[in-house]
Amino acid sequence: MKWEDVCQAFPEQWVLIEAVQAYTNEKSERILEEVTPLKKFSNSPDAMKAYQELHRENPNRELYVLHTNRKNPNIIEKKW
């Protein structure tokens, strides 16, 4: 799905998504071309708890918790 499709399917919700196809542009923005919504939530603490559990099981998955009122995900990649 595209981010716009997730926003239409889950209006005004927190969603846990997995990036299926993504890249980082020259501004260090993570561009999510294709995502899979995994679960929706009414609040961010529950969404973050689910994120932590999934991330602990498989840290290689590219997971995000976002609210669908965002027009764009606006994810900035930071180098550690």
Side-chain angles (χ1 to χ4, degrees), residues 20-38:
V20 176
Q21 190 173 3
Y23 66 93
T24 303
N25 69 13
E26 66 282 346
K27 297 178 187 176
S28 295
E29 297 170 323
R30 197 73 180 139
I31 308 300
L32 307 179
E33 292 186 329
E34 191 74 26
V35 299
T36 299
L38 302 176

Side-chain angles (χ1 to χ4, degrees), residues 7-73:
C7 294
Q8 288 180 357
F10 307 102
E12 295 300 316
Q13 295 285 315
W14 288 94
V15 289
L16 174 59
I17 61 171
E18 181 171 11
V20 176
Q21 190 173 3
Y23 66 93
T24 303
N25 69 13
E26 66 282 346
K27 297 178 187 176
S28 295
E29 297 170 323
R30 197 73 180 139
I31 308 300
L32 307 179
E33 292 186 329
E34 191 74 26
V35 299
T36 299
L38 302 176
K39 197 168 180 186
K40 67 177 182 162
F41 302 88
S42 58
N43 61 65
S44 62
D46 290 344
M48 288 305 298
K49 183 177 179 183
Y51 165 86
Q52 289 171 338
E53 290 171 3
L54 275 176
H55 183 68
R56 196 174 302 121
E57 291 171 11
N58 191 343
N60 296 324
R61 292 174 78 177
E62 188 173 352
L63 304 170
Y64 299 100
V65 172
L66 299 169
H67 197 277
T68 57
N69 68 355
R70 291 177 166 210
K71 188 173 184 173
N72 296 306

